[in-house]
Amino acid sequence: MASLGGLKSATSQSRRSKNEILFYEMCLERFPDSLANEPMFDGWDGDIIIPSKKVAILWNGVWHYKQISKSQSLKQVQTRDKIKIEKITQYGFVPYIVKDLGKHNPTFVKEEFDKFLKAL
């Protein structure tokens, strides 16, 4: 049942950073079938999913790596991330993680997009 709680928690979070939104827009321009936060992996989502490339991008902010607030457990976030990656893989998609520890930065986003394209 712990995974159901994590799933509920994951689906209730709809905050997207400006960087993530910009990256999604770049993906959408290059890959018109791109989706944002579509819960297509047994209810789990990817921040950006490109079905034609079988890739699910996880845009991980600092809270995925460091305890930020008392109300959200780092261990819980990381456990949820592990489950999400397993589900994405079970569906035949490749999880691609972008580690974004900073503030809005279009240069960073463009560099990450270029890295992503090279990894495809």
Side-chain angles (χ1 to χ4, degrees):
M1 282 304 193
S3 67
L4 289 179
L7 180 61
K8 183 178 177 188
S9 173
T11 55
S12 71
Q13 295 177 358
S14 59
R15 295 186 314 247
R16 297 174 70 206
S17 72
K18 289 179 182 179
N19 286 347
E20 180 188 329
I21 292 167
L22 180 57
F23 193 95
Y24 171 67
E25 290 168 353
M26 291 175 175
C27 286
L28 198 55
E29 189 174 307
R30 184 75 172 252
F31 309 102
D33 65 328
S34 297
L35 305 168
N37 303 102
E38 191 69 33
M40 58 187 279
F41 309 107
D42 287 344
W44 294 88
D45 70 341
D47 294 311
I48 303 165
I49 302 166
I50 306 174
S52 61
K53 296 296 180 185
K54 300 288 274 187
V55 172
I57 300 162
L58 304 176
W59 194 271
N60 289 355
V62 68
W63 58 90
H64 290 264
Y65 309 100
K66 180 179 172 186
Q67 184 70 41
I68 299 296
S69 72
K70 292 179 183 176
S71 65
Q72 190 170 28
S73 158
L74 175 62
K75 184 173 171 36
Q76 184 181 37
V77 170
Q78 291 176 339
T79 299
R80 210 171 48 225
D81 288 345
K82 185 174 183 257
I83 294 167
K84 186 184 284 195
I85 288 168
E86 288 171 2
K87 289 294 180 186
I88 289 167
T89 303
Q90 286 173 3
Y91 274 75
F93 279 68
V94 174
Y96 183 88
I97 298 170
V98 176
K99 188 174 183 178
D100 181 3
L101 305 180
K103 298 197 180 300
H104 180 56
N105 182 342
T107 302
F108 167 78
V109 175
K110 175 71 171 111
E111 288 169 357
E112 289 299 318
F113 188 70
D114 290 343
K115 284 184 207 173
F116 169 68
L117 292 177
K118 286 179 184 165
L120 287 180

